[in-house]
């Protein structure tokens, strides 16, 4: 896709049942919720997290927090299967020994989107971002280091994994509004797991 960025087609598909079961458990302990941006907009994507810290946004800003603000409890721990999948994908993308401490879980229902942004709330930019797509297909927009750089569109389908790091670690990216559909395993939604090493 770019220097430091690869798209691994169907990489996570063999683990789909395991991932679905783990996701169900995580979401029962830390339900998906639509968070509010610092500017006061409610995001169309519903989110939860697992791992040592979770990405959150509210009127105070964006940050990683060890506590789920909705429950007052730590986020569910990252299942070993998630950790292993992320490390294998990163290695395939040329990043050895990826040890994520956070997994943001995004749930897109039809119409939900994610505007162009950089992942820059981490303090470690040496580690890549590993992003796993499950369920309905989506259009991933992948640009460059500047917001104004031209974006390319990639159709991400169930099981696809994108790894970006090194020269493309801070590249702008986003998701176009999700088209309606029905996935045999995940139903009327797309789930995205985004693994990060925050510190
Ligand atoms: C994100 O950038 O956090 C999400 C990307 C995606 O849903 O594929
Ligand atoms: Fe992102």
């Amino acid at each position: 896709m770019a220097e430091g960025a690869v798209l691994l087609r169907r990489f996570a598909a063999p683990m789909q049942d395991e991932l679905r079961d783990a996701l169900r458990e995580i979401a029962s302990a830390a339900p998906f919720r639509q968070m509010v941006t610092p500017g006061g907009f409610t995001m169309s994507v519903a989110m939860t997290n697992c791992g040592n810290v979770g990405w959150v946004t509210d009127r105070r800003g964006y940050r990683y927090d060890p506590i789920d603000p909705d429950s007052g409890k730590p986020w569910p721990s990252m299942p070993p299967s998630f950790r292993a999948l992320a490390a294998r994908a990163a290695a395939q993308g040329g990043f050895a020994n990826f040890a994520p401490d956070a997994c943001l879980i995004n749930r897109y229902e039809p119409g939900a989107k994610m505007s162009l942004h950089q992942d820059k709330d981490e303090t470690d930019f040496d580690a890549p971002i590993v992003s796993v797509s499950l369920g309905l297909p989506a259009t991933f927009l992948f640009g460059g280091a500047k917001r104004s750089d031209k974006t390319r569109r990639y159709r991400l389908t169930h099981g696809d994994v994108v790894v970006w790091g090194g020269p493309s670690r801070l590249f702008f990216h986003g998701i176009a509004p999700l088209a309606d559909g029905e996935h045999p395993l995940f139903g009327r939604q797309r789930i995205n797991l985004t693994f990060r090493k925050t510190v």
Side-chain angles (χ1 to χ4, degrees):
M1 296 169 72
E3 209 190 324
V6 292
L7 169 45
L8 308 171
R9 291 283 182 203
R10 310 259 326 146
F11 191 85
M15 297 175 62
Q16 58 177 16
D17 293 329
E18 213 175 329
L19 294 170
R20 181 204 47 197
D21 293 350
L23 280 165
R24 195 173 284 154
E25 268 196 48
I26 291 164
S28 74
F32 285 99
R33 79 292 305 264
Q34 285 174 273
M35 299 190 205
V36 175
T37 65
F41 295 101
T42 300
M43 298 183 78
S44 58
V45 177
M47 299 175 168
T48 185
N49 290 277
C50 65
N52 295 348
V53 291
W55 187 86
V56 295
T57 174
D58 57 21
R59 291 308 298 247
R60 286 154 51 209
Y62 307 129
R63 64 188 172 279
Y64 283 99
D65 200 314
I67 300 296
D68 174 353
D70 279 13
S71 67
K73 295 190 296 198
W75 296 102
S77 60
M78 196 185 298
S81 58
F82 279 32
R83 204 181 292 280
L85 168 63
R88 272 202 303 123
Q92 194 73 236
F95 301 92
N97 306 314
F98 178 52
D101 58 356
C103 175
L104 169 65
I105 306 169
N106 294 312
R107 184 186 69 198
Y108 297 75
E109 288 178 335
K113 65 177 174 70
M114 185 149 332
S115 309
L116 216 56
H117 67 279
Q118 296 169 292
D119 290 1
K120 58 173 186 190
D121 299 321
E122 303 73 35
T123 56
D124 180 344
F125 294 138
D126 293 335
I129 301 289
V130 173
S131 167
V132 177
S133 293
L134 298 168
L136 289 179
T139 300
F140 183 58
L141 310 168
F142 195 65
K146 297 196 301 281
R147 183 176 290 279
S148 58
D149 286 342
K150 194 168 109 34
T151 56
R152 293 218 306 211
R153 299 162 74 88
Y154 297 87
R155 183 178 156 90
L156 298 184
T157 63
H158 180 68
D160 288 351
V161 178
V162 183
V163 178
W164 67 96
S168 48
R169 173 62 180 76
L170 291 172
F171 277 17
F172 280 87
H173 58 279
I175 292 285
L178 196 80
D180 202 355
E182 179 79 28
H183 186 270
L185 197 64
F186 282 84
R188 207 170 165 224
Q189 58 177 355
R190 169 177 183 261
I191 300 286
N192 166 255
L193 313 177
T194 303
F195 294 92
R196 291 95 183 260
K197 183 175 185 299
T198 66
V199 288

